[in-house]
Amino acid sequence: MLIPERSFNGHYYRLAIIIFITVIVFALVLPLDQHPTVSASSFYLFHPGFSKPTIDGNIETSEWAAADTYTQVMYGSNTGLTGTLYVMQDKENLYLGFIIDDDELTVGNWYGILGDTLEISFDDNNSGSLYEVGENKVTINSVTPYYDSHFVNTSGSTAADAQQDGQGILARQGSTNHVELAFPLCSGDADDFCLTAGSVLGLQLQYTDYDTLTAVPSPTPDGSRLPGQENYELVTIEILTIYDVFMPLICK
């Protein structure tokens, strides 16, 4: 059967219109899905620089030059402390650095109080919520330098990991306190997260500042958070891919 020329051309005209509209729709939608989903509660998305610092409690400019950084006045601080978080990575570890303009480093060990302390609570799966059972928490102070734990209930209670992974140090440098942390991206420990390229995790810092530790009265600490104004606001970190060809450049 012969198809009339007008009908034939009209068919292809309509088909061309449909294809054109489809292309426009995909052009508008696809750019919105180029990156992993980031929690709506995130204040800042870190893209870590590639480097490997020495974990000695001293955030040297040369060592952390590649870091992505975020600075804010700590929320909840009575004295207006300002903190800066630094984020780097290599193929094995996530590296966090933290500088806070505390006027002293108070060393504790007074009835279980360990002095100035930094707690890092992780939102392992970037759900936008802290304290999910099994997610990670790291505590660093100047008495018992490093404590690797996980949440056991949604109220924030923790238990120590049987396998203590990572390394962290809190130290006084000049007029500020410095914290350096190395934590494995995938330790193989069931109590830890295991992150690969493209993974996004959230975290919140809680800094507890004791001015003095004396027998009476019990000290009242100045507690503060990074980031945000609410308990559950987070910063997020996107784990990037490191190719072996780049490694010699990183080590220079």
Side-chain angles (χ1 to χ4, degrees):
M1 185 177 89
L2 294 176
I3 301 174
E5 183 177 350
R6 180 175 299 176
S7 174
F8 183 81
N9 291 339
H11 170 76
Y12 277 93
Y13 178 80
R14 288 192 297 272
L15 181 60
I17 291 296
I18 292 171
I19 293 172
F20 176 79
I21 293 173
T22 302
V23 169
I24 293 297
V25 169
F26 272 90
L28 293 173
V29 172
L30 283 179
L32 301 177
D33 194 33
Q34 294 299 307
H35 300 288
T37 301
V38 177
S39 168
S41 61
S42 174
F43 253 53
Y44 185 85
L45 173 61
F46 284 92
H47 294 94
F50 300 144
S51 193
K52 182 177 182 178
T54 301
I55 306 301
D56 56 6
N58 185 13
I59 300 177
E60 298 180 84
T61 302
S62 58
E63 282 190 330
W64 290 85
D68 194 358
T69 66
Y70 174 79
T71 300
Q72 73 160 65
V73 175
M74 302 290 287
Y75 180 75
S77 171
N78 297 327
T79 54
L81 297 175
T82 297
T84 299
L85 178 61
Y86 300 77
V87 180
M88 296 194 302
Q89 70 168 92
D90 59 16
K91 293 172 67 177
E92 289 80 29
N93 294 295
L94 175 67
Y95 300 103
L96 301 180
F98 181 65
I99 296 178
I100 191 163
D101 57 355
D102 193 351
D103 60 357
E104 62 184 355
L105 176 59
T106 302
V107 179
N109 212 13
W110 180 87
Y111 287 91
I113 297 175
L114 302 176
D116 295 341
T117 301
L118 181 67
E119 299 172 284
I120 304 172
S121 299
F122 290 99
D123 175 17
D124 295 2
N125 59 1
N126 191 38
S127 68
S129 298
L130 293 178
Y131 312 148
E132 291 181 334
V133 174
E135 293 195 323
N136 287 266
K137 180 177 180 178
V138 170
T139 304
I140 304 168
N141 60 70
S142 56
V143 179
T144 57
Y146 188 80
Y147 180 66
D148 178 20
S149 62
H150 58 276
F151 294 107
V152 296
N153 59 45
T154 55
S155 298
S157 299
T158 60
D161 289 4
Q163 179 178 311
Q164 290 284 297
D165 296 295
Q167 178 188 10
I169 296 178
L170 166 62
R172 186 73 175 169
Q173 303 294 341
S175 60
T176 56
N177 290 344
H178 290 208
V179 178
E180 289 185 305
L181 166 70
F183 198 86
L185 293 174
C186 192
S187 65
D189 182 357
D191 290 327
D192 293 338
F193 50 63
C194 187
L195 305 175
T196 57
S199 296
V200 178
L201 77 159
L203 63 84
Q204 184 185 92
L205 305 184
Q206 174 82 35
Y207 184 77
T208 303
D209 175 26
Y210 288 94
D211 284 335
T212 57
L213 291 175
T214 56
V216 286
S218 297
T220 301
D222 179 13
S224 56
R225 294 189 303 274
L226 183 157
Q229 298 182 5
E230 303 296 335
N231 284 328
Y232 294 103
E233 290 173 339
L234 310 172
V235 293
T236 45
I237 301 170
E238 181 181 352
I239 302 303
L240 307 181
T241 301
I242 296 182
Y243 299 99
D244 291 336
V245 69
F246 295 135
M247 295 306 291
L249 298 177
I250 295 169
C251 296
K252 288 183 179 179

